[in-house]
Amino acid sequence: MNFDKWFEEQERLVKIIFLFIPIVGWVIEVLVRLSAMIRNSSTMNILGFVIFLIGGYFFQFVDLIYLCITDELLIIE
């Protein structure tokens, strides 16, 4: 599963649009984090996945702000 690599190849504006749409953003985040966790099951990826599942839309909003600033998702390798 290489969904995280596909997401990283997209332009910053496309990533922001994907995460801005409520349901689509949640699904994209789950797929990216799950893909990263399967590919590299480091503590950071597992922690990011669990925090996202617990935090839900609030963490998605924080992740969107972080993506706008740094062009990468928060707590993911």
Side-chain angles (χ1 to χ4, degrees):
M1 187 172 198
N2 292 325
F3 195 80
D4 58 330
K5 289 183 181 181
W6 172 82
F7 185 75
E8 289 299 323
E9 292 173 356
Q10 304 304 313
E11 294 184 26
R12 181 183 288 190
L13 182 61
V14 173
K15 291 182 204 177
I16 291 170
I17 290 171
F18 276 150
L19 293 184
F20 187 73
I21 303 171
I23 304 281
V24 174
W26 192 85
V27 171
I28 293 286
E29 283 257 10
V30 167
L31 289 175
V32 167
R33 294 190 178 279
L34 186 62
S35 174
M37 192 173 64
I38 289 171
R39 190 175 45 81
N40 179 11
S41 60
S42 68
T43 306
M44 188 175 190
N45 285 340
I46 294 171
L47 182 66
F49 186 73
V50 170
I51 289 174
F52 175 72
L53 289 180
I54 292 171
Y57 286 114
F58 174 74
F59 190 71
Q60 181 181 345
F61 179 71
V62 171
D63 222 7
L64 178 65
I65 300 297
Y66 189 78
L67 178 75
C68 290
I69 296 170
T70 65
D71 195 30
E72 58 184 42
L73 295 178
L74 187 64
I75 311 176
I76 196 167
E77 286 183 344

